[in-house]
Structure formats: C-alpha cells, structure tokens
Amino acid sequence: ISENEDQLRNLIDLFKYVEDKDLFQRFYSKKLANRLIHNTSVSIELEEVAISGLKDRCGYEYTSPLQRMLIDMKVSDDLTKEFDQHLEQKNELIQQVINLSKERFTPSVAMIKKCVEVLIDKQYLERHSNQKDMYNYLA
C-alpha cells in the first residue's frame, strides 16, 4: 500500500493546480461512489488517504460528503454482517423446527391438498393461471 500511498500523495500535490475544485469534487464524488458501490476500490484505506489529502488542501467542508460516503459504506458492511449472522441463527432454528416436525409429523398428499384448498378459500393463495401445480401467495 505504501507505493500506492506515495502515488496518491503525488496526485494530491498536483491537485493544487486544478482551477475548478468544485467540478473536481463532483467528478471525484461520482467516481468514488461507483468504486464503493461496485466494490472496485483498491482499498478503503487508500480512499481515506486520498480524502485526507484533499481535506488538508481544501478543508473539512470540501471533503465531508466524501467522508460520509466511506462512513456509510462501513455502517452498511457492519449491518450486512449482523444481518447475515442473524439469518444464520434463524436458519439454524428453522432447521431444528423442521427436523423436530419431521420426526413427529408426516403429512399425506390428501392432507396437503386439503390445506392448500383451505388457504385458497381464505384467499392466502391462488392457483397460477398457466400451471395447475403452481400457486401465488397473496397475503
């Protein structure tokens, strides 16, 4: 990363020669958003170094939208990890319930058909228009 950091610092030194810094900020902001959304950035640390260099040159106000993007991405990553862990726990619980239910309950085809008909009558399900064995969930 140190070689990349040196290149970034050299580019930030060139930034002082840019005349329309607001136009640069809009362009950089769009490109940063694309890199973050599509996960094509070399590293978040390098993005932070670049933003820090811009902050040194132009101040906090200039870089605050860029910093918020990085913070939002970190929060999003944390929430996604928490959600995945939550789903994993729920899936384990669901699998346990299914396994326990299988041990005690083996439905017959007739019973399943009867339950499906009840769900159709209560308008929770409807038959698919083209395939008789397919159902659409309505509720």
Side-chain angles (χ1 to χ4, degrees):
I1 292 180
S2 62
E3 180 183 325
N4 289 335
E5 284 181 18
D6 289 339
Q7 289 176 345
L8 263 175
R9 286 196 175 90
N10 291 336
L11 286 172
I12 290 170
D13 287 339
L14 290 175
F15 175 73
K16 64 184 167 187
Y17 299 107
V18 172
E19 289 183 22
D20 194 348
K21 295 194 181 348
D22 289 335
L23 178 64
F24 176 85
Q25 181 200 33
R26 282 182 287 186
F27 177 79
Y28 186 83
S29 180
K30 281 184 181 179
K31 294 298 181 180
L32 175 62
N34 282 333
R35 287 193 302 273
L36 293 175
I37 289 170
H38 298 293
N39 201 22
T40 57
S41 179
V42 173
S43 76
I44 296 298
E45 291 80 16
L46 283 175
E47 299 292 357
E48 289 171 343
V49 168
I51 292 170
S52 176
L54 292 173
K55 183 178 168 186
D56 292 342
R57 293 267 180 214
C58 297
Y60 174 79
E61 291 295 322
Y62 186 82
T63 58
S64 67
L66 306 172
Q67 290 174 316
R68 278 195 307 266
M69 279 190 223
L70 293 179
I71 290 169
D72 289 347
M73 287 304 294
K74 287 179 183 177
V75 168
S76 175
D77 288 345
D78 291 345
L79 288 173
T80 300
K81 286 176 187 172
E82 286 179 32
F83 182 73
D84 288 344
Q85 290 172 348
H86 177 75
L87 275 183
E88 192 174 302
Q89 291 171 348
K90 292 290 182 189
N91 286 341
E92 289 173 9
L93 177 62
I94 290 169
Q95 192 59 48
Q96 287 176 352
V97 169
I98 289 171
N99 290 340
L100 288 173
S101 297
K102 277 189 201 174
E103 291 173 6
R104 298 179 185 174
F105 177 71
T106 52
S108 66
V109 173
M111 178 188 260
I112 292 172
K113 285 182 177 182
K114 182 180 176 186
C115 290
V116 168
E117 291 300 325
V118 168
L119 291 172
I120 289 172
D121 290 341
K122 291 185 177 184
Q123 297 182 345
Y124 288 109
L125 291 177
E126 71 178 3
R127 283 190 169 75
H128 193 275
S129 58
N130 297 332
Q131 298 174 342
K132 68 175 186 172
D133 293 335
M134 295 292 291
Y135 300 93
N136 295 323
Y137 179 68
L138 300 174

